[in-house]
Amino acid sequence: LERTFSILKPDATERNLTGAINDVIEKAGLRIVAQKRVRMTREQAETFYGVHRERPFFAELVAFMTAAPVVVQVLEGEGAIARYREVMGATNPANAAEGTIRKLFARSVQENSVHGSDAPETAQVEIAQFFAGNEIV
Ligand code: ATP
Ligand code: MG
């Protein structure tokens, strides 16, 4: 079974939506095999979104991701990476399909409630940034 890395972002934790989002995740056939609530440091957020360092929204994105706690997760299932991207919906909630997490809950392209890895290599790196092997069960 494949694993992917997920974040329930500050806009979701602030509105008490972690249970509602986990319900969508589980009903989609993905299993939450690791989960913890953390306050990301500036350094963690900058490393995590390093690929976007040169983008105009980078500073704002780091400020948003560190402004309140997040829930970091490892999700497991068949084709978990693609499956979760499908369940999340488009980055901009205005373009997200009905029933997706971002259509249901996101506030804007930045405050879009969830993150999910985009490829096996990034999933592996992102999981290792937040979880030790023995925390994933
Ligand atoms: P994520 O990587 O969080 O799963 P994604 O892969 O759909 O989302 P990316 O293009 O990787 O989207 O952008 C990473 C995050 O940066 C987005 O989820 C969003 O929070 C923020 N972001 C992306 N584009 C913009 C933008 N134009 N303005 C503000 N924030 C943005
Ligand atoms: Mg991305």
Side-chain angles (χ1 to χ4, degrees), residues 25 28 47 49-50 89 96 109 120:
I25 289 171
T47 299
Y49 278 124
V109 64

Side-chain angles (χ1 to χ4, degrees), residues 49 51-52 85 115-118 126:
Y49 278 124
V51 66
H52 296 307
R85 298 285 293 186
H115 162 83
S117 308
D118 55 16
E126 291 173 0

Side-chain angles (χ1 to χ4, degrees), residues 58-125:
F58 181 72
E60 239 190 279
L61 178 59
V62 170
F64 164 59
M65 291 298 292
T66 56
V70 299
V71 173
V72 292
Q73 307 174 310
V74 180
L75 309 181
E76 188 177 80
E78 216 167 287
I81 294 169
R83 179 77 184 120
Y84 190 44
R85 298 285 293 186
E86 187 181 309
V87 171
M88 291 195 302
T91 307
N92 185 342
N95 304 324
E98 286 301 325
T100 62
I101 293 168
R102 284 166 169 168
K103 177 69 175 189
L104 287 166
F105 303 116
R107 282 171 149 162
S108 67
V109 64
Q110 177 174 271
E111 300 193 19
N112 62 1
S113 304
V114 283
H115 162 83
S117 308
D118 55 16
E121 305 73 47
T122 47
Q124 205 177 358
V125 170

